[in-house]
Amino acid sequence: MPPRKIIIDTDPGQDDAVAILLALASPEDLEVVGITAVAGNVPLDLTQKNARKICELAGKTDVPVFAGCDRPLGRDLVTAEHVHGQTGLDGPDLPAPAMPLQDQHAVDFIIDTLRSEAPGTVTLCPLGPLTNIATAFEKAPDIAQRVQQIVLMGGAYFEVGNITPTAEFNIYVDPQAADIVFKSGVDIVVMPLDVTHKALVTKTRNDAFRALGTPCGVAVAQMTDFFERFDKEKYGSAAAPLHDPCVTAYLIRPDIFSGRKVNVAVETQSELTMGMTVADWWDVTDRPPNALFIGDLDADAFFALLTTRLARL
């Protein structure tokens, strides 16, 4: 089968970087037709630069990078420098990108790509707030039915929140956008904290990245070294979760993940629970299922895939 065409929508972020690197290292499985940046972990000026830095680290400077929305639909931007550092990619010392930023707005690129490619052949892979995706759906309602699938990192249910007591960061930053996406009718796969908190970068796993001895392997190890200090303190765990690579790993090896098709609704009214993803895990409402909500993965297989593929770069 030909590789699956994907658009990675992202706010890099160290874990975003690893997710992008996995995709770029897997051309037999994934064709990255473009990377669209959004404000999230850090402001847009940094996320678009970071996306280009990652492409250059991978030696894939032919992948076009587009800048998108610089703020959520209806709220002030909340960022996460306390997790990712002031650049969003603290850890390795990556040079300023030389490859150009595309002139076209990310939202227009998403719209044009979905209209020009055959229906049902492009998958959207959001790794950050859903502002770009929702804006595209609002601007061009016809494109939603052309999307093959949305595989996103965001939300939580049994693991509750990581930015508020009830909300995961990506959804909390732009809950209105998330609400639009989850109501779009597109086939959605969700990688919530429930599964990403099982993708833990232990010392042994990070040592394997570093032992690759390549600029890419060493940089990934340095990224994880940096951001794990926050997660270890926050969760009291022995290792840090690697959230966003679950998205690209799922596209390559869906067999190592498991979940349940449920209804997911996003809270957009209450400030107490703003951005909460309410997953009807036990089917207690009459709301129809709208997403495959992933709850578990084979962590050893996940890290074996990551290490093997990163070794190619």
Side-chain angles (χ1 to χ4, degrees):
M1 291 181 61
R4 187 168 181 170
K5 293 180 179 180
I6 66 171
I7 295 173
I8 299 177
D9 189 67
T10 181
D11 61 337
Q14 290 90 349
D15 56 328
D16 303 70
V18 181
I20 295 167
L21 290 170
L22 175 59
L24 295 176
S26 305
E28 71 271 42
D29 298 298
L30 303 173
E31 178 187 344
V32 183
V33 298
I35 296 175
T36 52
V38 68
N41 284 324
V42 287
L44 180 66
D45 182 58
L46 290 173
T47 61
Q48 56 89 357
K49 287 179 183 175
N50 290 347
R52 289 183 289 146
K53 287 181 179 182
I54 297 159
C55 289
E56 291 186 353
L57 176 64
K60 305 290 185 178
T61 56
D62 57 329
V63 177
V65 176
F66 304 82
C69 299
D70 64 356
R71 67 195 69 190
L73 295 184
R75 294 165 63 81
D76 292 335
L77 177 64
V78 176
T79 55
E81 288 89 350
H82 61 290
V83 178
H84 298 281
Q86 291 303 307
T87 69
L89 278 184
D90 283 18
D93 183 16
L94 300 177
M99 64 182 283
L101 180 69
Q102 300 298 309
D103 292 333
Q104 188 178 29
H105 193 282
V107 169
D108 294 324
F109 168 74
I110 292 168
I111 293 170
D112 288 351
T113 302
L114 288 167
R115 284 177 172 169
S116 63
E117 296 287 347
T121 61
V122 177
T123 293
L124 302 179
C125 302
L127 309 179
L130 290 161
T131 316
N132 284 342
I133 308 301
T135 302
F137 285 0
E138 291 283 275
K139 186 175 181 179
D142 60 289
I143 65 172
Q145 63 184 358
R146 303 179 69 89
V147 178
Q148 180 179 9
Q149 195 172 50
I150 294 174
V151 183
L152 67 90
M153 190 278 134
Y157 192 63
F158 296 105
E159 283 287 303
V160 297
N162 65 352
I163 188 67
T164 74
T166 62
E168 179 275 331
F169 177 82
N170 286 344
I171 306 299
Y172 177 77
V173 170
D174 200 340
Q176 284 73 27
D179 184 54
I180 290 168
V181 171
F182 277 96
K183 290 177 177 176
S184 67
V186 177
D187 179 16
I188 297 175
V189 180
V190 184
M191 297 291 158
L193 299 182
D194 302 71
V195 66
T196 67
H197 279 180
K198 297 174 182 177
L200 296 175
V201 189
T202 61
K203 183 179 185 302
T204 299
R205 290 164 176 166
N206 209 36
D207 286 347
F209 294 148
R210 186 175 281 105
L212 294 175
T214 60
C216 182
V218 172
V220 167
Q222 291 172 333
M223 290 179 199
T224 304
D225 283 339
F226 178 84
F227 80 82
E228 74 173 0
R229 94 240 174 267
F230 176 81
D231 286 303
K232 283 182 176 180
E233 182 178 346
K234 184 183 186 76
Y235 300 113
S237 60
L242 205 51
H243 306 285
D244 293 328
C246 289
V247 168
T248 39
Y250 175 84
L251 293 170
I252 299 167
R253 289 285 310 276
D255 58 298
I256 67 176
F257 294 85
S258 61
R260 186 179 296 185
K261 194 74 181 285
V262 300
N263 181 273
V264 179
V266 180
E267 177 58 60
T268 60
Q269 300 299 318
S270 167
E271 284 298 332
L272 180 65
T273 55
M274 182 65 69
M276 181 179 183
T277 44
V278 182
D280 185 9
W281 190 257
W282 302 115
D283 193 24
V284 297
T285 74
D286 58 0
R287 297 193 297 268
N290 62 350
L292 177 61
F293 203 79
I294 302 297
D296 204 1
L297 86 165
D298 180 336
D300 288 337
F302 171 80
F303 280 98
L305 173 67
L306 260 180
T307 307
T308 301
R309 294 295 171 95
L310 291 178
R312 299 173 169 184
L313 298 175

